[in-house]
Amino acid sequence: MPNSHSKFHCNYRGDREAGRRELVSRSLQSAQHCLEDQDFGTAYAHYLLVLNLAPELKTSVKETFQFTLFKWAEELDSLARIQDLFNCYEQALELYPNDEVICNSMGEHLFRMGFRDEAAGYFHKAVKLNPDFADAKENFYRVANWLVERWHFIMLNDAKRNLTYLKAIENAVHSGCKSVLDIGTGTGILSMFAKKAGASFVYACELSKTMYELARDVVAANNMEREIRLLHLKSLDIEIPKHIPERVSLVVTETVDAGLFGEGVVESLIHAWEHLLLQPK
């Protein structure tokens, strides 16, 4: 009797596997027919079914799936079905989370719809996945030019101003301020000044996703990624000890007249003074 029971289960598993293969095969054929008829929405649905039933086919159908996704996304965009478009890309990225081509395409749709900061995040991820991906690099630099305000370029090239900041930070650190918070770090220049001056702990927050990613790259290029803790946060949302372990002894910022991408300067500094900065004894 046990042998009969085991044989039943083997037959059941065999039947299920045969059924799965048959369904995958038919769905692939249907997807191909839909592509020939330019029915991209139905073809996309068939490929989703195939990839969920047979993940081992991801590599072999990847290019055709990408083509189908992009064509269907174009139709959804033209029909103003924005949420459906985003849902399709989210499904695609669940299946191919490290696909730079899909990330770049998602970024392009976001950019055209006006979501520039979010688009920059996808372009940046695409470049990280493939540093030689020319389209993604061009897209990232293009959106960065939209997001990085012109005052920032002027500021970075103002040698006198930067030297003044450097000296002031050096004086504060040498006077005993060993933990530093940089509010609205931008490219991370003030944080790097603090670390070079000898600060033991340096934290930096940046609300803009694009500037946060740029700061990470700049800090890494200067071999300080382990010494400066970057937070993609509004300073008003920083909590102790969740984000930084304790109050800092120095707050630095260059947010006057810049708006910190929507963060009120006075409000952020008052918050830092009351909640993040060590109080004088």
Side-chain angles (χ1 to χ4, degrees):
M1 199 68 175
N3 289 337
S4 298
H5 186 70
S6 177
K7 184 177 180 181
F8 170 79
H9 277 287
C10 287
N11 289 337
Y12 176 70
R13 285 196 297 269
D15 290 343
R16 283 190 63 187
E17 179 59 23
R20 183 186 75 90
R21 288 198 301 266
E22 177 66 19
L23 182 55
V24 168
S25 176
R26 288 186 178 183
S27 292
L28 282 172
Q29 291 175 10
S30 297
Q32 189 58 45
H33 290 320
C34 289
L35 286 179
E36 292 171 359
D37 295 336
Q38 296 189 348
D39 183 359
F40 300 114
T42 307
Y44 175 76
H46 279 300
Y47 277 120
L48 278 184
L49 177 62
V50 167
L51 290 168
N52 279 286
L53 287 175
E56 67 273 13
L57 297 179
K58 281 184 179 180
T59 301
S60 60
V61 304
K62 183 169 122 174
E63 289 188 9
T64 310
F65 174 76
Q66 287 175 343
F67 172 80
T68 307
L69 168 67
F70 300 156
K71 286 294 186 181
W72 179 225
E74 287 177 7
E75 284 192 23
L76 292 173
D77 193 7
S78 67
L79 295 170
R81 292 171 57 183
I82 306 306
Q83 189 57 56
D84 289 335
L85 185 153
F86 287 154
N87 289 342
C88 286
Y89 273 96
E90 287 175 1
Q91 293 166 339
L93 287 170
E94 285 180 6
L95 293 166
Y96 296 97
N98 296 317
D99 189 290
E100 69 274 17
V101 178
I102 295 176
C103 285
N104 183 65
S105 180
M106 175 66 157
E108 289 176 338
H109 281 287
L110 286 166
F111 184 79
R112 285 196 294 271
M113 294 173 190
F115 301 107
R116 291 168 182 160
D117 204 26
E118 292 84 353
Y122 281 97
F123 293 145
H124 188 265
K125 182 179 180 180
V127 173
K128 286 290 187 183
L129 290 167
N130 182 1
D132 297 323
F133 190 3
D135 287 349
K137 287 167 69 174
E138 181 180 344
N139 284 332
F140 180 68
Y141 293 138
R142 177 163 56 104
V143 74
N145 282 332
W146 278 93
L147 291 170
V148 181
E149 299 187 41
R150 293 295 172 256
W151 62 265
H152 207 95
F153 294 113
I154 297 171
M155 178 187 75
L156 290 174
N157 288 287
D158 187 343
K160 182 178 180 180
R161 170 203 166 279
N162 291 337
L163 182 60
T164 301
Y165 260 101
L166 175 60
K167 293 297 184 182
I169 291 172
E170 285 179 343
N171 290 338
V173 172
H174 295 165
S175 297
C177 296
K178 296 301 183 182
S179 56
V180 180
L181 171 63
D182 180 6
I183 296 178
T185 192
T187 57
I189 187 171
L190 299 187
S191 294
M192 291 187 290
F193 284 171
K195 195 62 197 178
K196 288 181 178 179
S200 302
F201 305 100
V202 180
Y203 312 98
C205 66
E206 176 55 58
L207 178 59
S208 165
K209 177 69 172 175
T210 305
M211 294 306 300
Y212 168 75
E213 297 291 358
L214 286 173
R216 288 182 61 186
D217 289 344
V218 172
V219 168
N222 285 273
N223 299 313
M224 292 186 181
E225 65 270 30
R226 294 184 179 180
E227 301 174 320
I228 298 174
R229 183 174 179 182
L230 288 165
L231 304 168
H232 180 214
L233 283 173
K234 191 175 183 179
S235 69
L236 298 174
D237 295 331
I238 295 177
E239 298 177 14
I240 297 172
K242 182 178 179 180
H243 301 113
I244 61 177
E246 57 188 4
R247 287 175 177 255
V248 297
S249 52
L250 176 66
V251 170
V252 296
T253 186
E254 175 50 56
T255 57
V256 179
D257 293 332
L260 192 55
F261 294 92
E263 181 171 358
V265 178
V266 175
E267 186 181 15
S268 64
L269 292 178
I270 290 174
H271 176 79
W273 171 262
E274 293 179 344
H275 301 285
L276 306 175
L277 188 67
L278 284 171
Q279 299 300 312
K281 296 180 180 180

